[in-house]
Structures are given as C-alpha cells and as structure tokens.
C-alpha cells in the first residue's frame, strides 16, 4: 500500500488546525498509488461531515513542481472540469509541511476506476482527455516534462548498475529503443498542459460517466498528442501488452469527437506511442530493480509496457 510516511490521527489534527475544515474524526490509509502517501480524511463541522485526501509528497515528486500541478487542477476544477480542487489553508496556500514532507489537502471525489472499461467507457475517457486539453488552454503555468528523454537516459544508466536476469534483457531492449528514438519531441506540434499519467487508475467513473481525473503530479507542458499517446498506451492494451484494436479505436474516437487531431499530430502519433511505451517501461524497470520491500508497494511490470512498442512500430512502418 502507498503509505511511505505514516501520519497519526493527532499529527493530522495538528496539521488540519491550519485549515478551516472542522475537526478531524477519521484518518484512513489509502492502499492504491505508487508515488505519494495518501490518506482519506474525514472532518466534522457542526453536523456536516466532509471527506478529503491528505497527500504527503514523496521524494520523487519535486516540490518545486507542486504549484504547477495543484494550480492546473485548481484551474480545471474552477472551469467545471471533473477533477479535485486543492483546498486552501487559512493563509490561502495549498501546501504545508507534515512529518518532513510537503503536504496538501485535496477535495475527495466519488467514483471508482474501471478494471474492464467497455468501449463506451473508453470513448468517454478519450473525450474527457480532450476536454482537459481544451480547458487547460488558458492555464499560464509551465513545467518541463520531469520524465522526458534526459530522464529516460539517467534512469537507464542507474538500472545498468543493478539489472540482472530478465531485467538485464529488458534493459538491453530499452537501450535499443533509446538509440532508435533519440529525442522524439522535435516536431512542431500543438503544445499545452498535459496530464502525462492518464491511466485507468487515475480516472474515476460513477454511473457510467467520468466523475474525476486525479493524480496530476506528472502533469507538465508538452505536445497534446503525446498525452493521447500515453493514454492510448494505458487504455488500449491487454494485461500481456497486446493491442486491443477496438479499445484503441473507441478511445481515439472519443478524443477526436471533442478535439480532432491535425494531420501532423496524426502522423506523429505512432512515434509518440513508442515514446510513451519507452517512458513507462524505463520507470517501471527502475522501480522494480530498486524496489524496497519494506515500502509494501507492488512494482508494476515493465515487460508488458515494452511490448506495446510492437504495435506502435508496426503502425509507424505501415
Ligand atoms: N481526490 C481524490 N478523491 C478520491 N480518491 C482519491 C483522490 N485522490 C486519490 N484518491 C485515491 O488514492 C489513490 C492513490 O492516489 P494517486 O494520486 O494515484 O497516488 P499516487 O500519486 O501515489 O500514484 C487513488 O487510486 C484513489 O483511490
Ligand atoms: N501509471 C504509471 C505509474 C504511476 O502510478 P500512479 O499510481 O501515480 O498512476 C505506471 O503504470 O507505470
């Protein structure tokens, strides 16, 4: 489960004293997620009970990026986009410190992520991603992608020090892909704020519709079609990493019903799909090699992400 930094009820109460949210009556660790520590927090104010997420940002989340990430969600939520609003403390800020970590209180959103989305769900998720891109177009914040080609190189170099067995052979394939792709972001494509981790577990559904997009902590400035390539790579493949053509088509159809791609974006999509497959293979491989069993987080499988490259390369060659 993703609790890297434990928080006691008393510590949460002291932290929440800086907010105007009432008294903390319950604090429960959230088992999902792999990056940050998350607790579900319940407060009582008069007869009203309210739920929030208390997030402690762990080492891999650069604190300097948080004004961008929280600012983006506030911008989107303020314009009716389904995502959680970060809650302001009494001084109007979004960030405090708790147990040595930057910490924030975020609006709780109802809904659950879908393990087996239907084609209609795929299309709905695609349409919401396009809405995200459109709604974020007036957002002034800028952040370079923290997991761009320079980071892929750095992570692969670190992996070389610890990889053995299956991980070594995956690393060889990663090296080949790094050499082939070089910097895949040189085309002149429409750029804006992107989510950059638009996976099914970050999209909550309720009554057949998207109720919330969460987890904007990889959010950054980048080509919009790269965000689509990431999302297609996350939604359109089975557990073994094989393409599911109908799911891919449904997601892209949903996206393009709201924001049609330009010819240049359409042409760039297979190459950026390869880039997306490489990006998540490298981070998963790194996290598996350097996995700390005491953290109780289950590392994700890099091999199934690498396999997605076959699809994107076949499309590119076609
Ligand atoms: N605003 C929210 N409303 C409801 N549940 C949330 C919210 N934010 C996070 N969660 C829950 O916490 C889990 C982990 O959150 P996430 O941001 O994905 O963590 P991580 O950054 O560690 O990957 C999610 O899968 C979801 O169950
Ligand atoms: N989505 C990434 C890992 C990041 O995890 P999240 O819990 O922050 O979405 C992957 O699948 O590799």
């Amino acid at each position: 489960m993703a609790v890297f930094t434990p928080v006691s009820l008393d510590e949460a109460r002291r932290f929440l004293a800086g907010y105007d949210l009432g008294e903390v009556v319950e604090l429960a660790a959230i088992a999902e997620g792999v990056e940050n520590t998350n607790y579900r927090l319940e407060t009582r104010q008069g007869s009203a009970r309210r739920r929030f997420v208390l997030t402690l940002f762990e080492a891999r989340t650069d604190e300097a990026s948080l004004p961008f990430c929280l600012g983006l969600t506030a911008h989107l939520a303020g314009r009716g986009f389904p995502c959680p609003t970060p809650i302001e403390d009494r001084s109007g800020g979004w960030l405090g410190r708790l147990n040595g970590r930057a910490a924030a209180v975020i609006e709780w959103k109802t809904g659950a992520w879908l393990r087996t989305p239907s084609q209609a769900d795929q299309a709905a998720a695609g349409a919401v991603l396009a809405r995200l891109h459109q709604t974020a177009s007036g957002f002034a914040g800028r952040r370079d992608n923290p997991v761009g080609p320079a980071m892929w190189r750095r992570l692969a170099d670190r992996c070389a020090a610890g990889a053995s067995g299956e991980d070594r052979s995956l690393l060889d394939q990663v090296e080949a892909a790094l050499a082939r792709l070089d910097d895949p972001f040189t085309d002149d494509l429409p750029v804006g704020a992107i989510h950059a981790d638009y996976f099914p577990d970050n999209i909550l559904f309720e009554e057949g519709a998207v109720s919330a997009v969460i987890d904007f902590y990889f959010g950054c400035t980048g080509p919009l079609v790269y965000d689509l390539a990431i999302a297609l790579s996350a939604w359109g493949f089975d557990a073994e990493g094989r393409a599911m053509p109908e799911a891919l088509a449904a997601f892209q159809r949903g996206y393009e019903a709201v924001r049609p791609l330009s010819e240049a974006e359409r042409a760039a999509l297979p190459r950026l799909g390869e880039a997306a497959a490489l990006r998540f293979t490298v981070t998963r491989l790194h996290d598996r090699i350097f996995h700390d069993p005491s953290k109780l987080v289950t590392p994700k499988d890099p091999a199934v992400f690498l396999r997605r490259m076959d699809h994107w390369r076949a499309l590119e060659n076609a």
Side-chain angles (χ1 to χ4, degrees), residues 33-35 197 199 201-202 215 218 280 284 300:
V34 295
E35 295 289 331
D197 191 22
F199 277 57
D201 61 352
N202 285 331
D215 198 359
F218 286 116
F280 288 97
R284 285 179 172 204
K300 298 187 176 184

Side-chain angles (χ1 to χ4, degrees), residues 30 32-36 38 53 84 107-109 202 214-215:
I30 295 179
E32 291 179 303
V34 295
E35 295 289 331
N36 297 311
N38 286 297
V53 177
E107 180 192 6
W108 177 269
K109 298 296 269 188
N202 285 331
I214 62 169
D215 198 359

Side-chain angles (χ1 to χ4, degrees), residues 93-287:
W94 288 319
L95 284 168
R97 287 207 83 74
L98 179 53
N99 294 352
R101 297 283 179 212
V105 179
I106 315 285
E107 180 192 6
W108 177 269
K109 298 296 269 188
T110 53
W113 71 271
L114 304 178
R115 269 71 178 171
T116 49
S118 66
Q119 281 185 41
D121 300 327
Q122 296 270 1
V128 169
L129 179 63
R131 269 182 65 203
L132 189 161
H133 292 161
Q134 289 181 336
T135 312
S137 67
F139 178 62
R142 283 198 63 83
R143 181 193 186 196
D144 288 340
N145 192 337
V147 203
M151 180 56 83
W152 306 342
R153 181 65 269 155
R154 224 170 299 145
L155 290 173
D157 289 345
R158 280 203 71 199
C159 288
S164 59
E166 189 207 340
D167 290 342
R168 166 59 56 186
S169 118
L170 281 174
L171 183 58
D172 291 343
Q173 295 172 70
V174 162
E175 285 294 352
L178 281 169
R180 193 173 60 247
L181 278 177
D182 192 17
D183 182 352
F185 300 111
T186 50
D187 294 344
D188 187 16
L189 297 167
V191 166
I194 62 173
H195 184 282
D197 191 22
Y198 199 90
F199 277 57
D201 61 352
N202 285 331
I203 315 304
L204 310 184
F205 276 76
E206 196 168 42
E207 293 173 11
V210 173
S211 57
V213 178
I214 62 169
D215 198 359
F216 283 74
Y217 304 115
F218 286 116
C220 57
T221 311
L224 306 183
V225 66
Y226 180 50
D227 218 12
L228 175 61
I230 290 173
L232 288 170
S233 299
W235 289 75
F237 293 77
D238 68 16
E240 271 72 51
R242 287 180 302 244
M244 299 189 296
E246 284 165 0
L248 285 162
F251 193 102
Q252 188 167 341
R253 196 168 51 244
Y255 183 93
E256 292 210 61
V258 176
R259 181 183 173 272
L261 296 179
S262 67
E263 275 316 307
E265 287 180 306
R266 208 178 298 285
L269 186 57
R271 187 168 164 77
L272 294 184
E274 266 198 270
L278 178 59
R279 177 256 180 265
F280 288 97
T281 303
V282 176
T283 47
R284 285 179 172 204
L285 183 61
H286 175 273
D287 290 359

